[in-house]
């Protein structure tokens, strides 16, 4: 269960994600910020003075004033520069030779990767300006939980840091394989920055993760409903639960499964950090309007982060399942670990 706490310094919401980032961190709208967050705009977004929000009449529940739909989406969704750009592939004409078609296809992929790398560089420059505003005496999860930063800023920082760490290896792959890189990245998704994930790569990774999750559920985990509802720390989990949660969230490679070994030394810490991220994200989503404020792609990413299936499903079904997750998380007798060890059909209902 999670409870709302009044943020020490709530940030003023605006109708655009760029305004949210600027106001939340009190940055001046430099030309770079305008280009990074408003690529199609030539005028800087107006930055209004910071105005603290007042508590609503439901102060006893530590609930802030509800946000408008557009404002709610802006505080929940990070900038689109943290996601892959659109990939437009050429179609082969009847009179077109195979060599010309493959050349144009390879060039389209190179343009896609170039755009993704440019987005990382733009995000990195912006992150450097945000670092002075993000508290150094606490983790991103703690800052999000305390309301110091909003969910959009949190995921922007996490994804940008992750993408930067993958640039050296991916750049080497791009130099070696060139136009053939799309044939290689399918097998090395972990080495590719998020902004450079091609659609087929994303779909393949999701299919493999969901197949592995189904196998884990079929093998079964001995779960006592009452006991699992109260477990909060991964150090208390038995080996079968460690293995299942690790598979569900993709916290260790499937190579361990092939050799029949469970990395019990590595899993407790990884599971603890993963559950902390989910708990902080749940609190931020609940505090800033709910799952319905997420964009379509962000809703799919939120479902993946909670071990839910997304392949071949309608977005309305995904949102419905995410809302059920949030309802279950409000109960005192449930925890993240307890929900991960059950299928959604077995989740407790209010």
């Amino acid at each position: 269960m999670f409870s709302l706490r009044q943020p020490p310094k709530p940030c003023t919401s605006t109708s655009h994600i760029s305004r949210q980032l600027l106001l939340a961190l009190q940055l001046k709208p430099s030309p770079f910020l305008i280009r990074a967050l408003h690529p199609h705009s030539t005028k800087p977004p107006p930055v209004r003075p910071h105005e603290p929000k007042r508590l609503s009449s439901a102060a006893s529940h530590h609930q802030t004033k509800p946000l408008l739909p557009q404002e709610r989406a802006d505080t929940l969704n990070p900038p689109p520069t943290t996601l892959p750009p659109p990939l437009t592939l050429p179609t082969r004409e009847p009179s077109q030779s195979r060599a010309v078609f493959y050349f144009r296809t390879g060039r389209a992929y190179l343009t896609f990767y170039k755009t993704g790398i440019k987005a990382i560089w733009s995000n990195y420059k912006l992150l450097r300006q945000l670092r002075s505003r993000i508290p150094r005496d606490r983790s991103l999860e703690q800052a999000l939980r305390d309301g110091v930063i909003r969910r959009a800023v949190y995921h922007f920082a996490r994804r940008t840091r992750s993408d930067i760490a993958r640039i050296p290896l991916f750049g080497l792959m791009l130099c070696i394989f060139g136009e053939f890189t799309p044939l290689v990245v399918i097998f090395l998704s972990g080495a590719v920055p998020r902004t450079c994930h091609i659609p087929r790569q994303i779909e393949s990774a999701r299919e493999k993760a969901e197949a592995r999750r189904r196998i884990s559920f079929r093998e079964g985990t001995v779960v006592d409903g009452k006991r699992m509802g109260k477990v909060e720390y991964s150090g208390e989990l038995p080996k079968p639960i460690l293995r299942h949660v690790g598979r569900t969230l993709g916290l260790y490679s499937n190579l361990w499964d092939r050799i029949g070994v469970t990395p019990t030394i590595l899993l407790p810490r990884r599971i603890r950090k993963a559950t902390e991220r989910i708990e902080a994200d749940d609190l931020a989503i609940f505090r800033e309007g709910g799952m319905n404020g997420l964009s379509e792609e962000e809703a799919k990413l939120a479902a993946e982060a909670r071990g839910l299936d997304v392949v071949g499903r309608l977005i309305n079904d995904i949102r419905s399942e995410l809302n059920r997750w949030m309802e279950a998380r409000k109960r005192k007798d449930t925890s993240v670990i307890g929900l991960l060890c059950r299928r959604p059909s077995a989740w407790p209902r209010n």
Side-chain angles (χ1 to χ4, degrees):
M1 177 185 176
F2 54 87
S3 59
L4 291 176
R5 289 184 291 175
Q6 178 188 1
K9 294 182 180 180
C11 305
T12 303
S13 302
T14 64
S15 60
H16 297 288
I17 186 62
S18 57
R19 296 185 198 172
Q20 171 58 32
L21 289 173
L22 293 170
L23 285 175
L25 298 163
Q26 301 178 0
L27 294 175
K28 296 182 179 179
S30 66
F32 166 75
L33 295 178
I34 299 170
R35 291 195 302 271
L37 298 174
H38 276 272
H40 303 296
S41 176
T42 57
K43 296 181 179 180
V47 179
R48 300 175 182 176
H50 180 76
E51 298 178 1
K53 290 185 177 180
R54 297 180 179 179
L55 287 177
S56 65
S57 58
S60 60
H61 295 84
H62 303 281
Q63 194 167 8
T64 57
K65 183 179 179 180
L67 302 176
L68 298 174
Q70 185 61 34
E71 293 175 333
R72 184 165 60 241
D74 287 339
T75 60
L76 287 171
N77 301 309
T81 53
T82 61
L83 299 174
L87 174 60
T88 305
L89 296 177
T91 56
R92 185 180 178 183
E93 301 175 359
S95 60
Q96 190 178 50
S97 66
R98 184 174 298 179
V100 173
F101 171 71
Y102 286 148
F103 172 77
R104 292 182 176 178
T105 301
R107 187 169 60 181
Y109 276 113
L110 287 180
T111 301
F112 170 82
Y113 288 134
K114 181 180 178 181
T115 304
I117 293 175
K118 283 184 176 180
I120 297 174
W121 179 242
S122 298
N123 293 340
Y124 171 69
K125 287 183 176 180
L126 178 57
L127 181 61
R128 291 179 62 183
Q129 299 188 40
L130 303 186
R131 282 176 179 170
S132 61
R133 304 294 182 177
I134 298 176
R136 297 184 179 182
D137 59 343
R138 68 188 83 181
S139 64
L140 282 175
E141 288 74 24
Q142 185 63 41
L144 179 65
R145 191 181 299 111
D146 293 344
V148 178
I149 60 176
R150 294 298 186 103
R151 183 181 186 274
V153 179
Y154 166 77
H155 282 283
F156 173 80
R158 284 200 72 245
R159 294 176 188 177
T160 301
R161 291 176 180 179
S162 176
D163 287 343
I164 292 172
R166 288 168 169 78
I167 279 291
L169 181 56
F170 178 69
L172 180 62
M173 291 169 52
L174 199 59
C175 292
I176 295 175
F177 299 106
E179 293 88 345
F180 298 98
T181 302
L183 303 177
V184 181
V185 296
I186 295 293
F187 307 100
L188 298 172
S189 293
V192 182
R194 182 184 294 272
T195 60
C196 296
H197 283 191
I198 61 177
R200 178 54 192 155
Q201 177 184 359
I202 297 173
E203 197 75 6
S204 176
R206 286 173 174 172
E207 290 173 353
K208 292 178 180 178
E210 293 180 12
R212 190 183 185 194
R213 194 178 302 132
R214 286 192 294 269
I215 293 174
S216 184
F217 272 108
R218 281 200 301 267
E219 290 180 357
T221 55
V222 181
V223 180
D224 180 345
K226 295 182 178 180
R227 179 178 179 273
M228 288 307 303
K230 298 180 180 179
V231 170
E232 296 290 347
Y233 302 101
S234 56
E236 301 179 14
L237 302 179
K239 184 176 179 180
I241 305 300
L242 284 174
R243 181 171 58 248
H244 172 75
V245 176
R247 287 175 175 176
T248 299
L249 299 181
L251 300 180
Y252 69 97
S253 171
N254 57 6
L255 294 177
W256 291 95
D257 293 336
R258 294 178 182 178
I259 62 177
V261 177
T262 301
T264 52
I265 298 179
L266 303 176
L267 282 178
R269 181 175 179 272
R270 293 182 180 181
I271 292 176
R272 183 173 62 252
K273 293 180 71 66
T275 53
E276 288 175 357
R277 288 194 297 267
I278 294 174
E279 288 170 354
D281 198 41
D282 285 346
L283 177 59
I285 291 174
F286 183 67
R287 184 171 55 207
E288 297 175 27
M291 290 290 184
N292 291 332
L294 297 176
S295 65
E296 181 173 341
E297 187 58 31
E298 290 296 331
K300 292 181 179 180
L301 293 174
E304 285 184 90
R306 290 156 178 79
L308 304 178
D309 296 344
V310 299
V311 176
R313 303 185 63 193
L314 298 176
I315 186 61
N316 290 338
D317 296 336
I318 296 175
R319 292 186 191 277
S320 176
E321 207 160 82
L322 287 172
N323 285 324
R324 285 195 56 210
W325 169 283
M326 295 296 288
E327 290 299 321
R329 287 281 287 117
K330 295 176 185 178
R331 296 172 57 97
K332 295 181 179 181
D333 59 345
T334 60
S335 66
V336 171
I337 298 296
L339 295 178
L340 291 173
C341 290
R342 296 181 178 87
R343 286 293 195 181
S345 58
W347 289 348
R349 296 178 180 270
N350 290 333

